[in-house]
Each structure stands twice: as structure tokens, then as C-alpha cells.
Amino acid sequence: MNIFFIGRTQKDKNKAHTWEGKFEQIDNLLPTPNVYRAGDGAPGPSYWQQKADYVIKVKLDDERQSVSGTEVVTYFNQSPQPLSYLWMQLDQNVREKGSDKYLAKNLKFGDSVTTYGVVFNTQLTSTDGGIHLTKVVDAKGNPLNYTIVKTMMRIDLTEPLEPGDKFEFELEWWYNLNDRMEEHGRSGYEYFPEDQNYSYSIAQFYPRMAVYDDFNGWQHKQFLGSGEFALTFGDFDVEITVPSDHVVTATGELKNAKRVLSSEHYSRFQQSQQSFDKPLMIIPETEAIANEKSRSKDTKTWIYHAENVRDFAFASSRKFIWEAQAVKLGNKEVMAMSFYPKEGNPLWEQESTKAVVNTLKTYSHYSVDYPYPVANSVHAASIGMEYPMICFNLGRPAPDGTYSDAVKYAMIGVVIHEVGHNFFPMIVNSDERQWAWMDEGINSFLEYLTKEENYENFPHDRGPAYLVVKYMKGQKKYIRPMMTNPEQVVQLGYNAYSKPAASLNVLRDVVLGHELFDKAFKTYSERWAFKHPKPADFFRTMEDASGIDLDWFWRGWYYSRDYVDVSIDTIIHYDILPNGHKADYYVSAMDSLASIQTKKVKLTETPDYYYDEFRNKLDYDEVYNKMNQKHYYELNFTNVGGLVTPIVLNMHYEDGSTSSITIPAEVWRYSEVSAAKIMAFDKPLAYVEIDPYRKTGDADLSNNVFPRKEEMSEFDKMKAQEE
Amino acid sequence: MIQLIVQSALSLLLHAHHISVCELEYKKDTKSIELVQQVFANDLELFIRQKSGNAKFDVRQKNEQTLSEIKAFFEEHLTLFSDTTSVNGTWIGYKLDGNNLLAFIEYKNISPGRITLENTIFLEMLTGQENIVHLTQMGTTQTGVCSSKSRKVSFDLM
Ligand SMILES: [Zn+2]
């Protein structure tokens, strides 16, 4: 066994003793508040946003794996500006041959390359992708001028669309669906060779209005595959025509259930709306398996209506098992539903709907009550992707139906994550194309709370601060600040998911405490539900509602690449002597990390001139006696990681008792690299520990205890255990 | 969404993060390097399932079979060179921490000079996988990255 002594001074590690303005306000980084977005982080008195209503008729071709449709868009200009053109998103054009997604890729082959690597990276896919527009006309049927700019399209209006006016136009289009196996698409189809059926998860399937807002004007940043979507709210009426033996689910409420469902399925569907304690099977596995053999040439049209949603997606297959459970949220009743092929069982029947219910309840508690009538979880291989009221989720047992804990927890985690996206960004509708942390990060934070509160010993891989320290520490050349666009960030998973989730846990657990954080976070959610928040609206609301200046926190965690590592360098015990005794002028405590050294300090009478104009004076004996009842210590800290942070201190006293205190981050405001404190305790100290519960994200535990402890490293513990 | 990548005709799920972390610590007094490699446990399970054809491989089942699969995985994907000569490492063990799996390997008789770590974890199938490597010596940490563009990272031991 190899026990070693952890101990070294940290001073030499700090090259930068310069002031970097870590406590300066971030006003110069944020947009100036105005009538649209207020200084307190709320929507301003003149806040506006656009609206787009859609009437869509879409047809799924199960023979050729393609989609065709028409859409009538009614665009409401609620902005104060006249608009001479409109921008739409044609996301399917990332699949056009030679799209920028591929042209902008950096790529090298190594010694060998897999078939998938080639197909995925060099677009050797079997689908001839990209959207084909066959009609773009106004309400009278007159052709409109339009220009396709890669994944975007500009429609030129013959007359400006004035504030308060609306514009109705119609498009007709078709495109070939992609095989998701080949390119891990957010949408497309999965083919099952055994029974020769397809399962379709259809999204980004219609030209969608880009966001026009007070902040960017049009958000028409090109889609390169990573930065997701920015979309306008509106109401949808959608008719989906599929083979008559298909089962469909979609964003919104099914309006013609009686017509498209068999009477038996319809009656189970009705019953499920009263099933609050467990899911009710509407289409059990046996019926789904029987349906796989059907090959109907007829079609059926499923009709959906959705209000105040930013998007619409649907799923369709012969293979779907369907279960549903009712959930009470506030004064609303919501249907939690799961759709999955038999390949998902038995995992899906055991965990999917349960995870949907847990997510709706927990997220509603922390943000806003889930406002929509349904929440669907649809099983699709090897993906997790979210749309309003519907998401496509991975998690599949081995062919014999067995599954490991790793598969189970990954599946539950994805269902929670994607259903959770209903709240961020589908309801609190941030701009995903620009800021991935605002949806992925905030969502990963609530995903963590949902797992913690509903599952025992969930094996987390992100959420708590201690899980990001290995990524944050070290040299910074391979990391980017969180405030980096998702298309050019180097480690999207760390930057957009784990680090922001960790930062919010630090904010909640250490900086604000649960009560202040939860109030501020709920305020942000309520203020920006069904609106388009920007980072400043989040930063300002969290400060405004909590009453705590957090500019240093945003600056450190969101704009910098610093990490948290505080060292407790020395503790000196002060022996307070009365007048007439000789004091120590110097104690070389730095020579030892092994003990708390004592320094004699003389308490002297305050000279008269210090009292200036005051006529009364301090009583020497009274002060001396008060001090004598306490034990005085000087604690010296170094900020090794550079990120300013509160210091959570656990005091261990000689009598074995403990107490703890959190020193606010402002302790670093005069010097960003070192801090000294004099603290008085009732009892003599044995040792002091920083961040005992690993809540601050401190990267180096070896400098967290003073006097330094003989402690085995993680490595030596493993060695000892294996011997 | 959840970021992940699918490989070949079999579906191999990989994780949102696309990254792993490898910590090397040089102990000058014992001339040894201690390596701790962290990967996501569910990613590793799926990788080994696919590679071995054993669809039931379970990373959380502690037994001889699991150990030997895990050990073989790290031995295959981590190679340390002292100057240009590869060094045999001693497998110490592995442990699970939530969904993280940490593997421990020790390399002995490492003299000051140049070392290179070849870290090919998940590189053969993942686009965008980045294996971060930290080397700590004398209280200072240097960082490099192994990816499909460059599978090796070098440091100078003092
Ligand atoms: Zn996501």
C-alpha cells in the first residue's frame, strides 16, 4: 500500500496576479434594456412577437418513403416594422447533395474507416434529399417571388406587410425521407428487415417560418446540423394521410379519433383518459404484432389540432403498441402516452409512460404547469429528439428482450430529457440556433432534478458540479466558453449540456440556496413561457428575483473558460495577548502544511486621535474579555482555477464537533487570486475542509483540507482495494 | 436533442458528450505514471457488446468475464510510449461512479523526457469523439486531445 503525503503550496501555480475585472458588471456584454426587454429581465411594456398559423395537409408514401403536402400559412406581423419579405426555414436542404453541412466539415480518414463513417461524413447516403417546392402562391393564387438560400428561403412580398396586418400564402412541396440508420437524422424512417415495416418519425417536414424579433430581426443563420431551431408560435390544423393500417401520433389533440380508430381502440382510448394510476393499453403488443402483417392499400386521414405551439411533428407505423395514462397537473388533465414497436419491449412498457409522468410533474413544479393536452414518447432507434408534445426516444433491449441497467437508465434518461424539452425550448422558447445552453443546459439541469426526485440511486453522468471538473480543469485551448454558438463549439456535449447543468446546480446549492433559486427560476419560466427569451433575460431575471448580484457568476461560468479550484493554504491561530506582552511579528506558517501554527498578537489600547470627533471610547477590558472567550484564526486562500466562487467551509473542532459556513464569492473582489479571513470560533480548531459535499465544482481536492491530510489518492485506493 | 452517433448497420449508441477524460500523473520519485481513464459506462457497454457480439454484456455485472472484456478494451485503446518505445502498463482495476467508469493503469520505470499517449477510445466509430488527456507533474497540469485527426498526444516529463 502506498500512502503519500498530499501537500504543496499553490502560490507558484498562479502566474496571473493581474486584475481581470471578474467582479465588474456585465452590462457591457449584455444588450441595453429597452421597451421590448426590460432591465429586470422581464418582457418590456412593448414586447411583441410574431405569430404564424398553419393549415397543413400531408401525405406519407409508405411505398417510396416520401412526404408531400400543402400548407397555408397565415403570418401575423405584430412587430412595429413593415416587412417587405419573409424568411422560412427549409431544413430538409441539409440533405441536398453538397450542402454546406458537408462542405463545412473538417475531416480526415485514419488507417481505416468504417462504412458508416464514410456514409455519414461524406454524404454517401441512399436518399436524394432536399425539399422540392412545387407551389408558392398568395391567397389569391398569384405566384410569389422567392429565393432559396441553402436551408433558408426568402419570400418577397409585392407590398410591405404593415404592423398589425396578416399575410396568407400557400406552399406545396415534397421530399424523400432519409434512412435514419445512415445518418442519425433527427427525423426520417427506421426499416425493420424482419417484418419489412417502416417506422416513421417525421419532423422539419414543412417549410417553417423563421423567427423575426426585436433582437436579431430575422433569425436566418444557416442550419449546419448542430444548432437547432428558432420558431414562431402559432396554431396548427394538420391532416395526416397514411396507409389505413398505420397508427399515428402527433403534436396536438387527435380530433377524429372515433373515425380513425376501431371501435375497440376508441373505447380504450376513452377509458385511458380516466386512468390516473397506471397506463392503459390501447393497442397491446399482440395486436401490434398482428398489424405488422397487414399491407393496406387504402389510406386514412388523422386530424390534429394544436394551439400555441412552435412546431409540429408526427410518427406513423404499423408496428406501434400504444398506451396512455392521465395525469392531473394543476387544474388540467394531460394524457401521457407512449408509442413503440415490439422491439422496445419489455423495457418500454415498464418505463416509458412512467418517465413521461415523472417529467411532467417535476418540470411543472419547477417551471410552469404543462399547458398542452398530451405528451407523447415515441420509440425510435438511437436518437433522442424533441418536438412540442411529441419526442422520439432510444432504448432497446437485446433481441431476446433482456436489458442491462445501463440500457434501462439511458432510456429513462432520454425520455425524461426529451419530454422535458417541452418546457425548454418548446414553451420557454429560446433561440436554439444561437444558444444551445438555454435549452439543452437548462433542460439537463431539470432532467437531473427529475432523476434525483423520482428514481433511487440514478447513475448520473451529468448534472452535479463534481461531474464536470475533469473537463473544466487543465489547459484551456480545447474548451470554449458556454456563450459560444453551437455550430462552432468544440465540445457540444460538455458546453451545452453538462457545464450549464452543473452551473445551475452550483447556483442553486451554493450561491443562492434552493428557496431563492427556485423562486427566481420559476419567475424566469413564467415570464418567458410562450415567448422568446435571450441570455440577458435569463441572467437579469435570476438576479432581479433573487436579489443577489450574479454578474460575477455569469462572467465566470458563462463567458470564461476558468474552472473552480480553491486552495486553503494556511491557517494561523492568533494568541491574543493583553498590553505589556511581546507580540510575534512573523510566523513562518508557510513552511508547513502539516499544522496550524500560533502567532502571538498583542491587543493595544486605541489612541485617542482615532476617535476623531467622538466623545465616547471603547473599553479596553471589555474588548479583551470578549476576545478571550473566542479562538481567533487567520485563513488564507488561493484561487487556483481562476473562477471566483463562494467558499464552503467545514470547521472540525478539537472536541470532534463541526460547523459550516459559506463565504460569499465577494471575498475575492479585491484580489481575484488570494483571500485572507480572520474568523473567531467558540472552540479550538482541529482542521478545516473546503467544499466537503463537492457542490462547488472544485477540481482539486488535495488542497481542500488544512492542515493537509495524509490521504490516499483515488489511484492508491484502487491499488489497495485490488491487492 | 441528445447528441449521439450511430455506427454501421448495427446501432451503436454513443453519448451526448462525445468526450472522455484521461488523467496522467507523473510521480518523479517512483518514476511511475498513474493513468485514470474515465468513459461513460453505457457507451462502453454498447461498444463491447458490438465488438464481442455478446448482446448481453453488462458493464455492471461484476465477474471475471466483465473484467477481462473491460481490461482488454483499455489495453487495446491506450498505449503509452516513453520516447518512441511502448511501455507495458500494469492493470490496476476499474470502478463505477454513477454512469462513469474509471479504469486505472500504472506504468513504471518512466524516465524524464518525452512521453506520448495514443488514446483511440471510441475513435474507430465516432465522428467528433474527443479524448481529453491531462498530464499533471509537480503541481502543474498540461492538456492535450486525442481525436480522429490526431490519435496521439505528447508531453515532456521534467
Ligand atoms: Zn436535448
Side-chain angles (χ1 to χ4, degrees):
Chain A
M1 196 161 87
N2 179 6
I3 292 185
F4 73 102
F5 184 76
I6 299 168
R8 58 193 147 77
T9 64
Q10 299 292 338
K11 295 258 146 116
D12 55 325
K13 288 174 76 176
N14 288 289
K15 287 138 221 146
H17 281 262
T18 50
W19 174 81
E20 293 180 37
K22 291 178 180 177
F23 275 93
E24 293 311 295
Q25 295 294 292
I26 56 171
D27 298 350
N28 58 337
L29 299 172
L30 302 183
T32 307
N34 54 38
V35 290
Y36 311 120
R37 287 164 202 274
D40 64 1
S46 304
Y47 177 85
W48 55 268
Q49 65 189 24
Q50 306 294 66
K51 182 173 192 276
D53 291 344
Y54 298 80
V55 177
I56 299 175
K57 290 179 181 165
V58 58
K59 190 167 186 225
L60 174 67
D61 187 334
D62 188 41
E63 297 293 317
R64 300 218 298 270
Q65 285 73 55
S66 67
V67 158
S68 59
T70 62
E71 82 194 79
V72 175
V73 184
T74 308
Y75 188 71
F76 298 83
N77 183 11
Q78 303 183 145
S79 84
Q81 296 268 97
L83 300 173
S84 56
Y85 46 78
L86 308 178
W87 283 93
M88 300 192 88
Q89 311 188 40
L90 305 179
D91 312 274
Q92 288 301 330
N93 282 354
V94 287
R95 298 204 173 88
E96 263 188 327
K97 290 292 173 202
S99 79
D100 277 4
K101 177 184 172 184
Y102 296 93
L103 289 175
K105 246 182 213 227
N106 277 271
L107 196 64
K108 281 183 187 179
F109 283 159
D111 305 339
S112 64
V113 60
T114 59
T115 52
Y116 174 75
V118 179
V119 170
F120 177 84
N121 285 300
T122 68
Q123 212 181 7
L124 216 60
T125 45
S126 53
T127 310
D128 185 10
I131 197 159
H132 303 266
L133 285 167
T134 46
K135 190 159 111 184
V136 182
V137 299
D138 67 14
K140 293 186 185 123
N142 301 315
L144 287 162
N145 282 331
Y146 64 92
T147 305
I148 293 173
V149 186
K150 300 170 186 179
T151 61
M152 295 283 165
M153 169 171 72
R154 190 189 68 236
I155 297 177
D156 293 321
L157 305 179
T158 43
E159 279 167 33
L161 178 60
E162 294 298 330
D165 284 358
K166 62 182 181 185
F167 179 67
E168 194 183 293
F169 60 105
E170 189 184 343
L171 302 103
E172 193 180 84
W173 36 260
W174 69 272
Y175 69 92
N176 292 316
L177 289 162
N178 52 296
D179 185 342
R180 290 187 44 255
M181 176 272 294
E182 290 182 337
E183 52 157 313
H184 125 266
R186 288 178 175 82
S187 62
Y189 63 81
E190 180 185 357
Y191 179 62
F192 293 81
E194 297 83 3
D195 51 84
Q196 297 172 6
N197 273 297
Y198 293 82
S199 179
Y200 298 92
S201 33
I202 308 290
Q204 290 94 245
F205 69 94
Y206 60 98
R208 305 185 291 178
M209 288 307 305
V211 167
Y212 178 78
D213 69 16
D214 58 291
F215 194 84
N216 289 310
W218 288 101
Q219 170 51 292
H220 46 27
K221 187 173 167 55
Q222 288 290 327
F223 184 39
L224 295 177
S226 290
E228 293 187 306
F229 312 108
L231 295 154
T232 305
F233 284 106
D235 301 337
F236 285 72
D237 285 295
V238 183
E239 295 183 17
I240 305 166
T241 302
V242 297
S244 57
D245 45 9
H246 271 216
V247 174
V248 174
T249 189
T251 301
E253 258 181 315
L254 177 59
K255 299 314 271 188
N256 62 341
K258 202 165 184 176
R259 210 183 151 84
V260 289
L261 302 179
S262 70
S263 59
E264 198 158 20
H265 290 164
Y266 181 71
S267 102
R268 291 177 197 154
F269 175 64
Q270 295 290 92
Q271 283 168 39
S272 71
Q273 290 165 27
Q274 302 306 321
S275 180
F276 288 94
D277 55 336
K278 60 177 191 303
L280 190 139
M281 274 295 167
I282 296 167
I283 303 180
E285 183 168 329
T286 46
E287 291 177 28
I289 291 171
N291 198 39
E292 283 180 351
K293 296 175 189 77
S294 166
R295 286 292 179 274
S296 175
K297 295 284 169 203
D298 298 337
T299 62
K300 256 185 200 167
T301 298
W302 298 59
I303 300 172
Y304 289 87
H305 177 73
E307 280 172 22
N308 217 3
V309 287
R310 52 163 252 176
D311 201 0
F312 190 98
F314 67 96
S316 181
S317 182
R318 283 186 194 92
K319 293 175 66 72
F320 285 148
I321 298 162
W322 176 10
E323 60 180 56
Q325 178 178 342
V327 194
K328 263 207 165 66
L329 292 167
N331 51 11
K332 287 197 72 158
E333 284 169 15
V334 178
M335 293 307 296
M337 308 205 284
S338 299
F339 292 78
Y340 45 92
K342 66 177 187 300
E343 285 75 7
N345 262 343
L347 178 58
W348 272 70
E349 65 188 15
Q350 283 158 7
E351 299 294 344
S352 174
T353 306
K354 203 198 295 177
V356 177
V357 173
N358 289 336
T359 307
L360 295 177
K361 287 182 174 168
T362 308
Y363 278 63
S364 294
H365 170 74
Y366 286 106
S367 59
V368 290
D369 278 343
Y370 186 72
Y372 296 131
V374 293
N376 289 295
S377 165
V378 179
H379 179 31
S382 296
I383 185 76
M385 186 59 207
E386 69 278 10
Y387 298 93
M389 303 184 225
I390 184 170
C391 49
F392 307 133
N393 302 320
L394 57 83
R396 195 167 286 183
D400 68 355
T402 59
Y403 56 87
S404 66
D405 274 0
V407 169
K408 176 176 106 176
Y409 287 116
M411 176 267 187
I412 295 171
V414 171
V415 174
I416 293 171
H417 182 93
E418 308 308 341
V419 174
H421 269 309
N422 272 298
F423 297 82
F424 303 90
M426 301 302 155
I427 297 164
V428 181
N429 187 7
S430 58
D431 178 351
E432 297 177 273
R433 184 75 34 104
Q434 187 60 38
W435 306 113
W437 67 264
M438 288 192 79
D439 63 300
E440 297 300 356
I442 289 176
N443 185 38
S444 295
F445 162 69
L446 286 179
E447 173 196 339
Y448 164 73
L449 291 184
T450 305
K451 290 169 176 173
E452 270 297 279
E453 292 178 12
N454 296 283
Y455 298 87
E456 227 171 291
N457 297 322
F458 199 98
H460 299 290
D461 49 32
R462 64 175 182 232
Y466 73 87
L467 287 176
V468 288
V469 300
K470 289 186 180 190
Y471 304 103
M472 287 177 77
K473 73 176 199 179
Q475 288 172 304
K476 296 170 183 170
K477 55 190 165 177
Y478 300 105
I479 45 183
R480 298 285 180 274
M482 256 152 65
M483 293 294 284
T484 304
N485 183 274
E487 294 286 10
Q488 60 242 29
V489 78
V490 280
Q491 291 163 10
L492 187 64
Y494 156 72
N495 245 287
Y497 297 71
S498 336
K499 188 180 171 187
S503 79
L504 294 174
N505 273 312
V506 172
L507 195 57
R508 183 168 188 259
D509 290 341
V510 183
V511 181
L512 295 178
H514 291 191
E515 195 185 331
L516 287 185
F517 179 95
D518 292 353
K519 162 74 181 166
F521 188 80
K522 208 169 178 51
T523 303
Y524 167 72
S525 309
E526 287 167 353
R527 280 178 174 180
W528 290 97
F530 300 110
K531 296 191 173 70
H532 305 302
K534 307 293 177 189
D537 304 317
F538 179 69
F539 297 154
R540 286 174 169 145
T541 296
M542 292 302 289
E543 280 195 1
D544 196 73
S546 70
I548 306 289
D549 178 4
L550 298 171
D551 282 30
W552 61 270
F553 185 85
W554 311 127
R555 196 182 268 285
W557 277 90
Y558 287 69
Y559 288 90
S560 91
R561 297 178 295 165
D562 292 340
Y563 63 98
V564 177
D565 178 15
V566 174
S567 162
I568 178 157
D569 296 332
T570 54
I571 299 178
I572 299 169
H573 169 238
Y574 288 138
D575 191 4
I576 308 295
L577 307 172
N579 268 327
H581 287 76
K582 198 173 178 305
D584 294 336
Y585 289 100
Y586 177 69
V587 169
S588 73
M590 289 304 293
D591 294 348
S592 172
L593 291 158
S595 64
I596 297 174
Q597 309 227 338
T598 296
K599 179 180 175 175
K600 291 181 166 54
V601 175
K602 189 166 66 179
L603 181 70
T604 62
E605 192 83 57
T606 304
D608 279 357
Y609 63 85
Y610 269 53
Y611 292 105
D612 200 19
E613 295 180 338
F614 292 101
R615 299 289 174 92
N616 58 338
K617 288 176 187 169
L618 291 167
D619 182 272
Y620 179 88
D621 290 337
E622 196 185 324
V623 174
Y624 178 75
N625 288 337
K626 269 188 193 165
M627 286 187 79
N628 234 350
Q629 289 163 29
K630 296 272 183 185
H631 301 264
Y632 278 78
Y633 293 88
E634 173 193 311
L635 285 75
N636 289 285
F637 303 97
T638 299
N639 182 1
V640 181
L643 211 168
V644 291
T645 175
I647 307 171
V648 181
L649 283 181
N650 242 26
M651 273 67 67
H652 296 255
Y653 302 101
E654 280 180 0
D655 68 0
S657 62
T658 61
S659 70
S660 66
I661 190 167
T662 299
I663 298 172
E666 282 77 3
V667 75
W668 305 105
R669 72 196 186 282
Y670 299 118
S671 163
E672 292 162 2
V673 289
S674 63
K677 282 209 74 63
I678 289 173
M679 301 178 81
F681 303 114
D682 292 335
K683 298 179 260 188
L685 270 183
Y687 67 98
V688 170
E689 190 183 1
I690 296 177
D691 193 20
Y693 310 110
R694 305 197 64 190
K695 297 279 192 192
T696 67
D698 197 303
D700 182 0
L701 304 182
S702 74
N703 58 22
N704 281 14
V705 180
F706 193 93
R708 293 288 187 267
K709 273 194 163 177
E710 277 189 19
E711 204 172 83
M712 285 168 82
S713 67
E714 196 174 32
F715 197 93
D716 288 320
K717 278 183 201 156
M718 176 56 63
K719 251 176 130 171
Q721 184 193 318
E722 296 295 316
E723 264 162 23
Chain B
M1 75 183 295
I2 286 280
Q3 282 282 315
L4 48 82
I5 295 292
V6 187
Q7 130 80 19
S8 81
L10 295 164
S11 100
L12 173 74
L13 152 69
L14 281 143
H15 210 269
H17 301 246
H18 292 189
I19 47 179
S20 75
V21 191
C22 181
E23 294 176 291
L24 302 173
E25 181 152 1
Y26 184 48
K27 304 275 175 169
K28 203 173 180 175
D29 48 345
T30 54
K31 289 176 88 178
S32 62
I33 287 181
E34 296 174 349
L35 178 151
V36 183
Q37 171 71 50
Q38 179 177 302
V39 297
F40 296 110
N42 60 331
D43 292 351
L44 180 68
E45 179 175 293
L46 283 161
F47 186 99
I48 291 175
R49 282 181 174 198
Q50 192 188 28
K51 198 98 183 181
S52 65
N54 173 9
K56 292 192 170 190
F57 172 75
D58 185 342
V59 78
R60 288 176 190 278
Q61 291 285 325
K62 283 236 168 192
N63 58 39
E64 279 304 311
Q65 164 82 7
T66 310
L67 174 66
S68 80
E69 296 270 21
I70 289 175
K71 185 168 174 254
F73 171 84
F74 287 103
E75 283 172 352
E76 188 188 333
H77 292 93
L78 293 168
T79 314
L80 186 80
F81 299 87
S82 176
D83 198 10
T84 53
T85 318
S86 72
V87 189
N88 283 329
T90 307
W91 172 261
I92 305 297
Y94 78 94
K95 69 169 185 183
L96 283 154
D97 175 12
N99 189 33
N100 290 313
L101 186 142
L102 292 93
F104 298 76
I105 301 170
E106 186 173 33
Y107 301 90
K108 287 188 171 142
N109 300 315
I110 310 289
S111 301
R114 174 142 287 223
I115 56 154
T116 300
L117 182 75
E118 183 172 35
N119 184 332
T120 60
I121 287 172
F122 300 147
L123 290 190
E124 60 235 68
M125 31 191 55
L126 260 182
T127 51
Q129 172 75 20
E130 289 184 329
N131 299 319
I132 299 167
V133 183
H134 297 301
L135 169 77
T136 302
Q137 53 175 335
M138 306 206 301
T140 306
T141 302
Q142 290 166 278
T143 306
V145 167
C146 295
S147 68
S148 58
K149 287 185 205 159
S150 168
R151 297 158 155 247
K152 293 178 183 173
V153 57
S154 297
F155 301 101
D156 290 316
L157 298 181
M158 291 175 280

